[in-house]
Amino acid sequence: MVDPAVSEKISPIRLHKALDRVWRTGPGWQRLAAVNHTVLGKRFMLTAFVFFAIGGVLAMLIRAQLATPDSAFVGPEIYNQLFSMHGTVMMFLFAIPMLEGLAIYLLPKMLGARDLAFPRLTAYGYWCYLFGGMIIVVSMLFGVAPNSGWFMYTPLSSQPYTPGINADIWLLGVTFVEISAVSAAVEITVSVLKLRAPGMSLDRMPLFAWYMLVTALMMVFGFPPLILGSILLELERAFNLPFFDPTRGGDPLLWQHLFWLFGHPEVYIIFLPAAGVLSTIIPVFAQRQIVGYHAIIAAIVALAFLSFGLWVHHMFTVGIPHLALAFFSAASALVAIPTAVQIFAWLATLAHGRPRFDIPMLYVTGFFLVFVIGGLTGVMLAMVPFDQQAHDSYFVVAHLHYVLVGGFVFPMLAAIYFWLPHITGRETVHRISVPAFWLIFVGFNLTFFMMHLTGLMGMPRRVYTYPSNFGWDWLNLLSSVGGFILTMGFALFAVDMILQFRFGRGFRRNIWKASTLDWAMPTRPPSYAFASLPSVDKRADSIHPDSLGPQLAAGHGYLGFVRNGRMETLGVDMTTGQLEHVVVLPNSTYLPLVSAALTGVMVLCLLFKFYLVALLFALATLVSFFFWAARTGSKVDEGPIDVGRSERALPDTEVDGPTPWWAMVFALAANGTLFASLVFGTLYLWLIAPGWPPAEIVSSGFWSVTTALLLFAAAALMHWTESANRSARAFMPMLMSTLAVDVASVLMLSFALATLPDPTAHAHTATVAALMGYSWLHAFGGLMFGLNALLKARNGYISPRRNLSLRLSRLWHDYAASTGTIAMALVLLMPSLIGMLAEVR
């Protein structure tokens, strides 16, 4: 049944009330069921700032220890925990979640949508982030915080040298948090590509959306190597599998490769959203459009590609061949070019505009000064001879902070002053904003510029004290004084935020006279963002919010009504922005909180070695996801439905490329990156690690060939199942056959794993076990997707037109068959490869 509002024009007030009833988050305990992007974006940012404050306190403790020579403020063990936790908190619990929160809050508003593509996934990601962060931070209270650095280099972080649970807290806690990061990356990618205002083609998107799209894709491909490395290291610590043990065919350098395959792209993952903020703010205060729109997009894409070829930049001193050193050194210098393109575009925008200065522009100016210094020292460190002298010195610490604080924190502070009126609905109170900026700017430079000098004078990083006869004492004292000035500046900034919430004057919309869609709505923004959705016929950073906003509020755009109490927004063609379908979003639910809590308990059980209990909670988490899917979709074929403006579109359940299908594609891309990293690790150990060839070689031809055939059979059956459903033929027998083959695949791989030689004896057997285990997990996943399709079919959610569950299952089966065949082929070929290596050696 369709609400009368669909066919009858109603007043803006009635429209607002009708939309708010559907979209709002309830009071009290119902806030825990929130799935709205505005609510969750603010939660991400507020939680990130809490962790930022914790990281700042840790930094002050470090500076208190290093202020004077031979200090006894803290001992070496506590100091190791302090600097490890400071880096971990700032990199994993502040920087990434902060940019995610800003994107979650802003993107639907900038793109002309009512929410992101998967609100429940956003909520699940937030709770995973919160619980994972709490696990990491609370460990400090019990004296078992990670103490091997935020990079967890092996063998220091291996069981013989870190026997407690300190390293396990990092490995499991950070992996838990990374679930949030990857889920947000998939969400942002799909939302930017599919959930835009009709008419907003890719070349009309605001630059902030371009920056976040590229950043999200970098996260999709950049985070899996770290997740794999963390899993392998935890397996080594928990079950003695020797992936990084050189005495049994492992190699500690494998961890560095996996970590920096993530770590160097992460620098640009952190920088690019901040650059998107600058590309949004600078045109507003320059009072003209950004210069070089298309050049900036090309620079963003180039920077993303180059960032994945620089990871050895951090490993120049570990014994890399000279030719590789030359390649990575050149690539590290080359990355300065796309960065410079963006900086010159911003400067040109200011030069050709009529700049007006306000508090956000103070932080933009601070960014230019600080980040350029960080970039120049980065070019210095890209040169191998200099890097070999400055490596692991305080020069690197200074460079890192100039890049990250200059490239992320200063733009984020500008963003806060720019968008806080949007969040609060109140004008900025500038009584203490300027003093706060100068304390932060002067304190930062006093703290970290001195570290360049201490580094050049030979002071190594990660030392808890130093003698007084090297000339480092006065520089360290100045750095510590600067650190406390910096802290006072951030404290003043926090007070400034509170004053704005308390004393700022209210306003209606567009306080900065901006030209993007996020200001074409009342402030504070309503739960549904737009009362009706806009149509875009020009670049989305050149609209007129003051005239467009009232039209949308009056319901003159798309979906200016409520249909059957459903939360609806529009999906478009990825490239052209042409209207494609209606996306029906889920209402508020406690399921994300329940699933995240079950996941958190599973992580805690793993931490304390309760593996059987952890398995039970893993299964409980899986069952909770079945509840997510239980009522998703429709039981009837609706056909084209009214979307307003005399247009009609199909619901998302009846189109070929709905958002869940694309989410599966990008999730499998991330999964494929993890698998490629596992194959890389296997071949790296075979080719580089000491202790090869092993005494015992795994020969499993029967298991490998049979498993590959079964996986391919399941994929083929799933194809026939979907084809039968599309042709309106009976598909249940083939679906049941697919499930039977899935069970056979799981059993076959279980037997193969059970009959392997001891995987703790050598890295060869351990990597074979890892490859088979990966295939087992995906065969089991295929079984779960098949069961979900079976349940949906039995409950009437599948028809020839509504076949999403079958298509998702087919995608998974195709992936499982492809990766399983590669894994089994590698297992099958390993004896021959080992024989070739033995002949060479």
Side-chain angles (χ1 to χ4, degrees):
M1 178 171 179
V2 179
D3 289 354
V6 174
S7 56
E8 297 179 10
K9 203 67 179 173
I10 61 174
S11 70
I13 299 299
R14 286 183 59 196
L15 175 59
H16 162 74
K17 291 181 177 178
L19 286 166
D20 191 58
R21 278 195 299 270
V22 175
W23 288 83
R24 69 186 175 192
T25 300
W29 290 104
Q30 294 179 50
R31 297 178 191 274
L32 298 177
V35 296
N36 185 273
H37 78 279
T38 298
V39 174
L40 293 170
K42 289 189 288 187
R43 285 182 184 175
F44 262 103
M45 290 188 283
L46 181 59
T47 307
F49 268 114
V50 171
F51 285 124
F52 178 70
I54 293 171
V57 170
L58 296 173
M60 289 304 94
L61 294 175
I62 293 171
R63 289 316 317 167
Q65 168 67 16
L66 295 177
T68 57
D70 301 312
S71 174
F73 180 65
V74 297
E77 175 59 27
I78 297 299
Y79 184 82
N80 287 343
Q81 293 186 24
L82 289 177
F83 82 75
S84 300
M85 284 296 298
H86 169 69
T88 299
V89 168
M90 291 303 195
M91 297 297 281
F92 296 104
L93 303 184
F94 166 63
I96 298 295
M98 182 65 192
L99 69 88
E100 290 172 353
L102 187 67
I104 288 166
Y105 179 85
L106 282 178
L107 279 176
K109 301 173 178 64
M110 280 192 171
L111 296 173
R114 284 180 172 155
D115 210 321
L116 295 172
F118 310 104
R120 293 181 298 183
L121 187 62
T122 309
Y124 176 71
Y126 171 74
W127 293 117
C128 287
Y129 161 52
L130 178 63
F131 296 155
M134 288 174 61
I135 290 171
I136 295 171
V137 170
V138 169
S139 67
M140 291 189 294
L141 302 178
F142 298 94
V144 291
N147 57 0
S148 303
W150 73 275
F151 35 77
M152 293 296 289
Y153 279 176
T154 55
L156 178 62
S157 58
S158 298
Q159 189 70 28
Y161 303 100
T162 307
I165 65 170
N166 307 64
D168 300 302
I169 288 172
W170 191 97
L171 294 168
L172 294 170
V174 166
T175 301
F176 192 14
V177 171
E178 295 306 287
I179 295 173
S180 167
V182 175
S183 63
V186 172
E187 169 111 64
I188 290 168
T189 302
V190 176
S191 297
V192 171
L193 291 174
K194 296 297 294 182
L195 267 60
R196 306 195 299 268
M200 188 185 290
S201 57
L202 286 178
D203 60 353
R204 289 176 178 170
M205 284 200 314
L207 279 175
F208 183 80
W210 267 107
Y211 275 101
M212 287 312 309
L213 173 62
V214 173
T215 300
L217 286 170
M218 290 176 68
M219 292 167 70
V220 165
F221 294 105
F223 280 35
L226 175 64
I227 295 173
L228 174 70
S230 300
I231 293 171
L232 295 183
L233 183 51
E234 182 59 27
L235 287 173
E236 178 173 299
R237 291 179 55 83
F239 303 108
N240 199 29
L241 301 182
F243 298 106
F244 308 103
D245 183 355
T247 65
R248 293 179 288 161
D251 193 340
L253 286 183
L254 175 60
W255 169 265
Q256 290 196 37
H257 282 289
L258 293 174
F259 182 87
W260 291 116
L261 276 167
F262 145 83
H264 202 87
E266 190 197 23
V267 174
Y268 301 99
I269 288 169
I270 291 171
F271 167 67
L272 284 178
V277 165
L278 296 170
S279 294
T280 304
I281 291 177
I282 288 174
V284 173
F285 289 97
Q287 302 183 75
R288 64 150 294 152
Q289 279 193 328
I290 190 80
V291 172
Y293 173 88
H294 293 96
I296 290 175
I297 293 172
I300 300 167
V301 175
L303 191 64
F305 275 104
L306 286 172
S307 71
F308 283 93
L310 305 180
W311 80 94
V312 179
H313 170 92
H314 300 267
M315 301 170 61
F316 281 168
T317 61
V318 303
I320 300 294
H322 284 210
L323 182 61
L325 288 177
F327 171 81
F328 286 104
S329 178
S332 299
L334 190 64
V335 79
I337 295 175
T339 306
V341 168
Q342 297 168 75
I343 291 176
F344 285 124
W346 298 327
L347 292 174
T349 303
L350 291 170
H352 289 276
R354 291 174 290 114
R356 56 188 173 95
F357 272 81
D358 212 316
I359 299 302
M361 283 302 293
L362 273 179
Y363 286 98
V364 171
T365 305
F367 155 81
F368 280 121
L369 296 173
V370 172
F371 185 73
V372 168
I373 294 175
L376 291 174
T377 56
V379 174
M380 294 168 66
L381 288 168
M383 303 299 107
V384 175
F386 182 84
D387 182 85
Q388 289 178 336
Q389 298 299 315
H391 188 78
D392 265 348
S393 75
Y394 262 84
F395 190 93
V396 178
V397 176
H399 160 70
L400 175 71
H401 285 83
Y402 265 85
V403 169
L404 293 182
V405 176
F408 182 75
V409 175
F410 274 91
M412 282 298 112
L413 293 173
I416 290 163
Y417 277 107
F418 184 75
W419 276 294
L420 196 61
H422 193 287
I423 296 172
T424 64
R426 295 177 181 271
E427 295 183 15
T428 306
V429 180
H430 288 333
R431 293 189 181 94
I432 58 176
S433 302
V434 175
F437 165 77
W438 285 110
L439 284 173
I440 291 171
F441 183 76
V442 172
F444 171 80
N445 283 284
L446 182 60
T447 301
F448 293 103
F449 190 81
M450 299 302 164
M451 292 184 189
H452 291 105
L453 304 180
T454 54
L456 291 175
M457 293 172 67
M459 183 173 177
R461 62 197 298 196
R462 299 189 289 273
V463 292
Y464 84 101
T465 190
Y466 54 93
S468 60
N469 56 348
F470 286 130
W472 305 335
D473 43 359
W474 66 277
L475 291 170
N476 274 300
L477 181 60
L478 285 176
S479 285
S480 295
V481 170
F484 283 96
I485 293 173
L486 179 64
T487 303
M488 288 188 286
F490 279 113
L492 208 59
F493 165 80
V495 172
D496 195 21
M497 295 298 100
I498 295 171
L499 289 177
Q500 177 166 324
F501 273 94
R502 179 66 180 85
F503 299 108
R505 293 179 301 174
F507 71 99
R508 183 152 182 80
R509 63 163 58 90
N510 202 13
I511 188 174
W512 302 113
K513 304 303 177 187
S515 301
T516 47
L517 281 172
D518 49 311
W519 294 99
M521 60 178 63
T523 50
R524 297 177 293 178
S527 55
Y528 48 83
F530 297 97
S532 60
L533 302 182
S535 174
V536 175
D537 57 4
K538 56 184 175 181
R539 258 178 42 192
D541 59 355
S542 60
I543 64 165
H544 301 288
D546 293 332
S547 58
L548 179 62
Q551 297 177 30
L552 299 178
H556 295 156
Y558 291 100
L559 294 180
F561 48 79
V562 176
R563 189 194 334 261
N564 299 334
R566 299 195 310 201
M567 295 166 55
E568 294 181 334
T569 191
L570 294 178
V572 300
D573 180 81
M574 280 188 177
T575 54
T576 66
Q578 182 179 352
L579 175 62
E580 197 174 74
H581 60 274
V582 178
V583 179
V584 180
L585 301 174
N587 297 91
S588 297
T589 172
Y590 292 99
L591 280 174
L593 173 59
V594 172
S595 298
L598 291 170
T599 310
V601 176
M602 179 193 72
V603 169
L604 288 173
C605 291
L606 291 172
L607 182 62
F608 294 107
K609 318 298 183 188
F610 301 144
Y611 296 120
L612 289 178
V613 181
L615 179 60
L616 292 176
F617 276 98
L619 293 174
T621 304
L622 185 62
V623 170
S624 73
F625 289 135
F626 274 91
F627 281 99
W628 286 40
R631 297 185 181 277
T632 302
S634 174
K635 292 188 176 183
V636 295
D637 295 336
E638 298 183 64
I641 55 178
D642 183 25
V643 296
R645 297 172 62 100
S646 302
E647 294 188 46
R648 304 176 72 82
L650 288 169
D652 56 351
T653 54
E654 299 177 30
V655 295
D656 286 335
T659 52
W661 190 87
W662 283 108
M664 176 66 84
V665 170
F666 290 112
L668 291 178
N671 198 346
T673 307
L674 188 146
F675 177 69
S677 301
L678 178 58
V679 172
F680 162 77
T682 301
L683 296 175
Y684 176 87
L685 293 178
W686 161 70
L687 189 62
I688 302 295
W692 287 64
E696 185 175 10
I697 299 175
V698 177
S699 180
S700 56
F702 170 77
W703 301 113
S704 301
V705 173
T706 306
T707 298
L709 290 174
L710 285 171
L711 291 172
F712 261 106
L717 284 167
M718 200 65 236
H719 273 266
W720 293 333
T721 302
E722 190 205 353
S723 177
N725 176 64
R726 281 183 178 272
S727 305
R729 292 182 283 114
F731 65 90
M732 289 296 283
M734 277 180 283
L735 180 57
M736 297 298 292
S737 300
T738 305
L739 293 175
V741 176
D742 285 332
V743 171
S745 301
V746 171
L747 291 175
M748 182 64 64
L749 282 163
S750 300
F751 288 133
L753 284 165
T755 57
L756 274 180
D758 181 10
T760 66
H762 194 272
H764 162 56
T765 321
T767 53
V768 169
L771 289 166
M772 287 187 170
Y774 183 91
S775 298
W776 186 95
L777 285 172
H778 287 77
F780 182 76
L783 178 61
M784 293 300 101
F785 273 99
L787 285 174
N788 177 63
L790 178 64
L791 292 173
K792 301 288 277 188
R794 289 189 179 279
N795 291 323
Y797 287 97
I798 293 180
S799 74
R801 292 169 60 177
R802 293 175 284 108
N803 59 0
L804 178 61
S805 297
L806 295 177
R807 295 179 65 208
L808 294 179
S809 182
R810 189 196 76 185
L811 265 180
W812 184 274
H813 279 84
D814 288 348
Y815 177 84
S818 301
T819 55
T821 300
I822 294 171
M824 294 305 104
L826 188 55
V827 170
L828 192 62
L829 290 173
M830 279 307 292
S832 300
L833 294 174
I834 292 170
M836 291 168 52
L837 184 66
E839 291 178 6
V840 172
R841 291 184 176 179

